[in-house]
Amino acid sequence: MFLVIVLLSVVAYGGYVFYQTFQAANSAYTEIDRGEKSNLRDKKVEIGKDPFSVLIMGVEDYSTGGENGRTDTLIVATINPKDKTMKMLSIPRDTLVTIPDRNEETKINHAHSYGGKDLTIETVEYFLDVPIDYFATVNFEGFKNIINIVDGVTVDVPFDFYETSDETGKRLNFYEGKMELDGEKALAYARMRKQDPRGDFGRNDRQRQIMAAVIDKILSPRNVFKVDEIAGELGSNVETNIRMSQGLGLAQQFANFKSNDIETINIEGEDSYIGGVYYFVPYDESIQEVRSSIRSHLEIQPAEDDL
């Protein structure tokens, strides 16, 4: 009898969680001005059937009161449901790019403050010459809260350093080796770059490290009963044009996917100061290599420059 009661409780809770997740997804869903199809696509792609790309934007909006802050993180993820593979590219925030329709060269993270998610997507497409099919934006508050809900993440700190917390202003110390991080520390760990000898490249590696740790933690069986809390945070702090039905289907296809299955690719370039302002200037050859890798994973024709 006790077993039956437990089983019914789990089923009932599962229905509640599904409802909560569905509601959160509805709250998070938002469209792009251009419509459902990238201008670099001949036709709309179908999640679960076609290879597709997602632009993940971490938005720093403390100084703007939540209105069009700059992107502190830009990650292009490509997913191929046919062979169940994923590639991830981090674009340094100080990358020198041309902002479409503004006739201006500036840092890529300025695009969001100029025109929100729509201009950021357009800028990334113009920079890489690859289609961005979907997007997801998350603000720092949601990032911290989700990590706290799953009781923190474990990372392998590459060297000793400290960083000042954006939330409390206190000094946070990090020591080489395995460390457990709560939301506040995880955010500081992901954002630090001035003390990293590899600059933005080291920072990008730490951001991907945090993302992988979060993916593994959320998928952990011990957090199955926290799905409603996670869903609530997604609804409050995330925007995306991926629909609930699409996400559920993809989750089923990638049920056994692990974060160590993600292949990372990088843009190479050089540091430059223009008018006394720091920029990361990518090499043309590296952009072509990255473009070719992404296009191959998306199963679309090479760009003319790559032939």
Side-chain angles (χ1 to χ4, degrees), residues 61-82:
D61 55 5
Y62 291 145
S63 59
T64 60
E67 295 295 328
N68 282 4
R70 295 178 180 178
T71 47
D72 193 69
T73 302
L74 279 175
I75 296 176
V76 177
T78 56
I79 299 170
N80 191 317
K82 299 177 183 179

Side-chain angles (χ1 to χ4, degrees), residues 37-56:
K37 183 183 74 66
S38 166
N39 294 328
L40 299 181
R41 291 281 197 183
D42 294 328
K43 62 179 181 179
K44 176 187 170 184
V45 300
E46 296 183 35
I47 288 182
K49 178 181 178 182
D50 304 314
F52 65 94
S53 62
V54 181
L55 179 63
I56 303 167

Side-chain angles (χ1 to χ4, degrees), residues 115-151:
K117 60 183 182 295
D118 294 277
L119 185 56
T120 303
I121 292 169
E122 187 179 354
T123 300
V124 172
E125 288 190 327
Y126 187 84
F127 171 54
L128 294 177
D129 195 20
V130 298
I132 297 299
D133 302 306
Y134 298 95
F135 82 94
T137 66
V138 58
N139 61 40
F140 289 163
E141 192 64 27
F143 175 87
K144 291 185 297 184
N145 290 346
I146 289 174
I147 289 178
N148 286 333
I149 289 171
V150 298
D151 299 323

